[in-house]
Amino acid sequence: MSITVIDVAKEAGVSRTTVSNVFGGRAKYSDETRAAVLAAAEKLGYKPNLAARSLITNQSRLIGLILPSYVDTNTLANNPFYNIIMDSIYAVLRDEAYYDLLIFSVPYQETQSQIRDRIETRNVDGILAIGEYDQNFLRYLESKAIPVIMIDNYSQEKYENFSYINSDDETGGYLATRQLIANGYKKIGLCTLDLASPLMQKRIDSYQNAIQESGYQTCIFDRTGSPFDAGIRFADWLFAHHFDAAFCTEDMVAVGVLHRMLRLGVSVGKEFGLIGFDNILIGTQVNPELTTVDQRIYEKGATATKTLLDSLKKKSSLGSRLILPVDLVSRETA
Amino acid sequence: MSITVIDVAKEAGVSRTTVSNVFGGRAKYSDETRAAVLAAAEKLGYKPNLAARSLITNQSRLIGLILPSYVDTNTLANNPFYNIIMDSIYAVLRDEAYYDLLIFSVPYQETQSQIRDRIETRNVDGILAIGEYDQNFLRYLESKAIPVIMIDNYSQEKYENFSYINSDDETGGYLATRQLIANGYKKIGLCTLDLASPLMQKRIDSYQNAIQESGYQTCIFDRTGSPFDAGIRFADWLFAHHFDAAFCTEDMVAVGVLHRMLRLGVSVGKEFGLIGFDNILIGTQVNPELTTVDQRIYEKGATATKTLLDSLKKKSSLGSRLILPVDLVSRETA
DNA sequence: CTGAAAGCGCTTACAG
DNA sequence: CTGAAAGCGCTTACAG
């Protein structure tokens, strides 16, 4: 029913081996032969069937993106971070290669065993994963012997086929806290959602270091729920306890704090200092605009994807950890 | 190398036909037979290879999502609408079936012919498409004879294998404009980005109707670029020309208008009335909160996906057009 | 460069 | 329920 390599071979007057080789970019053929094959394919509207190719080469040209379990159900709508990562992945995929992306995600109701099923049944060639996972799952990924690029993962174990990409979260937390101190704020709280995560711990540690260097008091507040809603509740608490500044470990929390503080009649950026972490777009869309730490999310996703593609093409080996620098972006809230 | 249906058959002491049928959910087997097959599969860690299945059944269990060309490069980061749609698609896919999503997108540098290539080479079973496309492309999609669900598409042509899902854009524009009039605003501008799109035209038409009913003057402003940035520039213009209200055909534009108006010292919600369209999350995160038209984006995406799955399962036929209702959400800006 | 052959892992009649 | 067979569309040696 569909047009196959045999039809093209017949039309071009060559063997199917030749057609296959021309489309696969293997072996060197004369320009005429190549042209004849391409013309025949064009004429018949031939498109190679990737499922058939996959079956024989054992390469699916499919990449899996695993989103972490602490993301909520409306993953994309509520978490701009993942949007930026996805945009960067798609941009690199389109530029560099014929790979497609499959999204595996605990927040979308998938258990780890369902994710394993899909990795196996779709036979993905490589994995991009964000955040932390338990040892069992990581060992499973290692056992598949496919390249795995971990974004924002701080696990200490060594896995042969993994590479890591992180941001300099410690410096980020330090810069933010120092800025609040430099601006004259004295009672500076830290607001976070995932106290337990190693990544947040880095930001928190450096907040503590900066505060202690100045002889002030550290105060760490932790909540669950959506980042914005948590921010609202942080603000009520900070206000009631006369804090004059807050460092939020993610921008969406800071946006929540800002929203509520304004309702409470607080002049944010003057009476109250506020700094976030991420540098997502909404920080420039609120009023006053949010001071934050830029963690180069797009670059992180793009680099991870390039690293994965290089590894798939055997251009580079795995096992490295890349740490991207971080910058303080001074706007209006501190 | 990998565990196949043959290995499972051997282990379970049955024929490979039986294994295949059990996994495919075909034919009725005794409970013991089924259990034996499942146990053997479990023991060996067997997972069916979807590429092989696809080759023989001619079903890939892959769905393509086509995003429209007027979206910019940072599709997901800048356009919350698409995030909500994607969240809803993934939610339905996980609940109902073993399908995976592939994203095809002009904004991600893909031309229509590249999208065609991917539809063919991946052999997608069905298509979800958002927005408007030229006749050639739609005819191509029809020629593939796979179900196509169009979201927010207003083309008049009839395509056999298409179903359509829209919102009641006319009522939406009318409700928004009436609300501004009812609140006493008199010089009410309309701010839009895609004057030419049939969807925006619906919202604009009903704005015009409402304004004319009241004997006021219609003023339609059109700009290009990112919605938020366009909003900033709309605000400058509206302010300079003493408008006292604006209906923006999408929330992100309204957020831009709001941001700039506040900078200009305008008390939005009092001196200046502002209404958006979409009801995305950011409308409740800005200050004052945005009055808008809720177009049930999540429900739209979920319904589209369910319609597609039903059609793939032959549970329902195509050719319908569903129009979802719309509600005015009164918040603080009007 | 060709051409016949084997095989990737599955499903699908079909005769028993 | 079984079991042998054909075939989906491709790639990959291999002898010429």
Side-chain angles (χ1 to χ4, degrees):
Chain A
M1 48 170 32
S2 42
I3 294 117
T4 75
V5 84
I6 298 184
D7 303 311
V8 178
K10 209 169 294 172
E11 176 72 26
V14 300
S15 73
R16 63 210 272 190
T17 306
T18 305
V19 174
S20 173
N21 282 333
V22 166
F23 269 86
R26 288 172 293 274
K28 50 266 149 255
Y29 287 92
S30 66
D31 288 349
E32 305 103 86
T33 307
R34 274 183 49 82
V37 169
L38 263 20
E42 173 74 42
K43 180 179 169 195
L44 300 177
Y46 168 75
K47 299 284 154 58
N49 178 321
L50 258 37
R53 181 180 287 174
S54 166
L55 199 51
I56 194 84
T57 62
N58 200 27
Q59 289 182 43
S60 62
R61 292 208 160 256
L62 251 20
I63 287 172
L65 170 65
I66 307 180
L67 302 181
S69 60
Y70 50 77
V71 176
D72 61 39
T73 321
N74 297 318
T75 310
L76 295 175
N78 291 352
N79 303 73
F81 178 89
Y82 300 101
N83 297 326
I84 301 174
I85 294 283
M86 285 181 61
D87 278 334
S88 70
I89 295 172
Y90 279 111
V92 173
L93 251 34
R94 287 299 80 70
D95 283 357
E96 303 214 2
Y98 265 97
Y99 280 90
D100 276 303
L101 190 73
L102 259 25
I103 299 181
F104 305 145
S105 177
V106 176
Y108 290 128
Q109 266 49 274
E110 292 184 287
T111 64
Q112 281 186 2
S113 96
Q114 285 175 306
I115 294 180
R116 290 187 192 201
D117 272 10
R118 296 177 67 212
I119 289 173
E120 313 257 347
T121 59
R122 289 291 183 191
N123 192 26
V124 303
D125 292 342
I127 297 277
L128 250 22
I130 302 175
E132 304 291 336
Y133 299 87
D134 63 53
Q135 295 291 332
N136 278 339
F137 189 66
L138 296 181
R139 267 194 284 268
Y140 162 75
L141 287 181
E142 186 178 37
S143 77
K144 299 312 298 172
I146 54 177
V148 175
I149 314 295
M150 305 278 335
I151 296 173
D152 282 354
N153 177 290
Y154 275 104
S155 72
Q156 295 303 322
E157 312 277 307
K158 265 299 159 207
Y159 297 97
E160 290 302 317
N161 53 327
F162 285 30
S163 273
Y164 298 84
I165 300 195
N166 294 82
S167 291
D168 190 347
D169 294 293
E170 289 201 56
T171 299
Y174 191 79
L175 289 176
T177 312
R178 287 296 313 167
Q179 167 98 342
L180 288 170
I181 292 165
N183 286 7
Y185 299 108
K186 295 190 164 56
K187 195 168 177 191
I188 304 168
L190 179 142
C191 303
T192 190
L193 285 189
D194 304 287
L195 200 56
S197 98
L199 178 143
M200 291 307 172
Q201 208 50 64
K202 298 271 179 191
R203 298 178 190 172
I204 295 168
D205 284 350
S206 54
Y207 153 85
Q208 289 179 305
N209 291 340
I211 291 288
Q212 282 159 5
E213 279 171 22
S214 304
Y216 296 152
Q217 192 71 38
T218 64
C219 283
I220 296 167
F221 305 118
D222 182 33
R223 286 196 178 271
T224 54
S226 95
F228 180 81
D229 293 341
I232 297 284
R233 287 172 286 131
F234 281 133
D236 281 330
W237 210 96
L238 292 163
F239 182 76
H241 294 78
H242 311 295
F243 279 80
D244 61 8
F247 165 45
C248 299
T249 60
E250 48 191 290
D251 278 357
M252 281 309 294
V253 171
V255 170
V257 170
L258 173 60
H259 187 270
R260 187 81 186 122
M261 280 293 180
L262 294 175
R263 298 281 151 151
L264 292 167
V266 175
S267 165
V268 179
K270 292 180 185 136
E271 301 168 58
F272 188 87
L274 181 63
I275 302 191
F277 202 114
D278 275 345
N279 194 21
I280 54 179
L281 212 53
I282 194 172
T284 63
Q285 296 173 339
V286 291
N287 241 307
E289 297 184 13
L290 186 69
T291 294
T292 189
V293 177
D294 178 17
Q295 63 156 320
R296 307 190 188 187
I297 303 173
Y298 191 95
E299 182 182 345
K300 188 147 62 172
T303 305
T305 311
K306 282 178 195 155
T307 305
L308 181 58
L309 291 178
D310 283 350
S311 160
L312 289 170
K313 295 179 202 152
K314 312 281 181 237
K315 276 198 200 159
S316 70
S317 56
L318 295 164
S320 62
R321 184 182 293 271
L322 176 67
I323 297 173
L324 294 178
V326 122
D327 305 285
L328 187 73
V329 182
S330 286
R331 288 198 283 247
E332 298 171 334
T333 60
Chain B
M1 48 170 32
S2 42
I3 294 116
T4 74
V5 84
I6 297 183
D7 303 312
V8 178
K10 209 168 291 172
E11 177 73 26
V14 300
S15 74
R16 61 208 275 191
T17 306
T18 305
V19 174
S20 174
N21 283 333
V22 166
F23 269 86
R26 287 171 293 275
K28 48 267 145 253
Y29 287 92
S30 67
D31 288 348
E32 306 102 85
T33 307
R34 275 184 48 81
V37 169
L38 264 17
E42 174 74 43
K43 179 178 171 196
L44 300 177
Y46 168 75
K47 300 283 153 59
N49 178 321
L50 259 38
R53 180 179 288 173
S54 165
L55 200 51
I56 193 83
T57 62
N58 200 29
Q59 289 182 41
S60 61
R61 292 210 158 253
L62 251 21
I63 287 172
L65 170 65
I66 307 180
L67 303 180
S69 60
Y70 50 76
V71 176
D72 61 38
T73 321
N74 298 317
T75 310
L76 295 175
N78 291 352
N79 304 72
F81 178 90
Y82 299 101
N83 297 327
I84 300 174
I85 294 283
M86 285 182 60
D87 278 333
S88 69
I89 295 173
Y90 279 110
V92 173
L93 251 33
R94 287 299 80 68
D95 283 356
E96 304 213 3
Y98 264 98
Y99 280 90
D100 276 303
L101 190 72
L102 259 25
I103 300 181
F104 304 146
S105 177
V106 177
Y108 290 129
Q109 267 47 275
E110 292 184 286
T111 63
Q112 280 187 2
S113 96
Q114 285 174 306
I115 293 180
R116 291 188 191 200
D117 271 11
R118 296 177 66 212
I119 289 174
E120 312 257 348
T121 59
R122 290 291 183 191
N123 193 25
V124 303
D125 292 342
I127 297 278
L128 250 23
I130 302 175
E132 303 291 335
Y133 300 86
D134 63 53
Q135 294 291 333
N136 278 339
F137 189 65
L138 297 181
R139 268 195 282 269
Y140 162 76
L141 287 181
E142 186 178 37
S143 77
K144 298 313 296 174
I146 54 176
V148 175
I149 314 296
M150 305 277 334
I151 296 173
D152 282 355
N153 177 289
Y154 275 104
S155 71
Q156 294 305 323
E157 313 276 309
K158 266 298 160 206
Y159 297 97
E160 290 301 318
N161 53 327
F162 286 30
S163 273
Y164 298 83
I165 300 195
N166 295 82
S167 291
D168 190 348
D169 294 294
E170 289 201 56
T171 299
Y174 190 80
L175 288 175
T177 311
R178 288 296 314 167
Q179 167 97 342
L180 289 170
I181 293 166
N183 285 7
Y185 299 106
K186 296 190 163 57
K187 195 169 176 191
I188 304 168
L190 179 143
C191 304
T192 189
L193 286 189
D194 304 288
L195 200 54
S197 97
L199 179 144
M200 291 307 172
Q201 207 52 61
K202 299 270 178 193
R203 298 179 190 172
I204 294 168
D205 284 351
S206 53
Y207 153 83
Q208 289 179 306
N209 292 340
I211 290 289
Q212 281 158 6
E213 278 171 22
S214 304
Y216 297 153
Q217 191 70 39
T218 65
C219 283
I220 296 166
F221 305 118
D222 181 34
R223 286 196 177 270
T224 55
S226 96
F228 180 81
D229 293 342
I232 297 286
R233 287 172 286 130
F234 281 131
D236 282 330
W237 211 94
L238 292 163
F239 182 76
H241 293 77
H242 311 296
F243 278 80
D244 61 9
F247 165 45
C248 299
T249 60
E250 48 189 292
D251 277 357
M252 282 309 295
V253 171
V255 170
V257 170
L258 173 61
H259 188 269
R260 186 82 186 122
M261 280 294 180
L262 294 175
R263 297 284 152 148
L264 292 167
V266 176
S267 166
V268 179
K270 292 181 186 133
E271 301 168 58
F272 187 87
L274 181 64
I275 302 191
F277 202 113
D278 275 345
N279 195 20
I280 55 179
L281 212 52
I282 194 172
T284 64
Q285 296 172 341
V286 291
N287 240 306
E289 296 184 13
L290 186 68
T291 294
T292 190
V293 176
D294 178 17
Q295 63 156 321
R296 308 191 187 185
I297 303 173
Y298 192 94
E299 183 182 344
K300 188 147 61 172
T303 306
T305 311
K306 282 177 195 153
T307 305
L308 181 59
L309 292 178
D310 283 350
S311 161
L312 288 170
K313 294 178 203 152
K314 313 282 181 238
K315 276 198 201 159
S316 71
S317 57
L318 296 163
S320 62
R321 184 183 294 270
L322 176 68
I323 296 174
L324 294 178
V326 122
D327 304 285
L328 187 72
V329 181
S330 286
R331 288 197 283 245
E332 298 171 332
T333 60

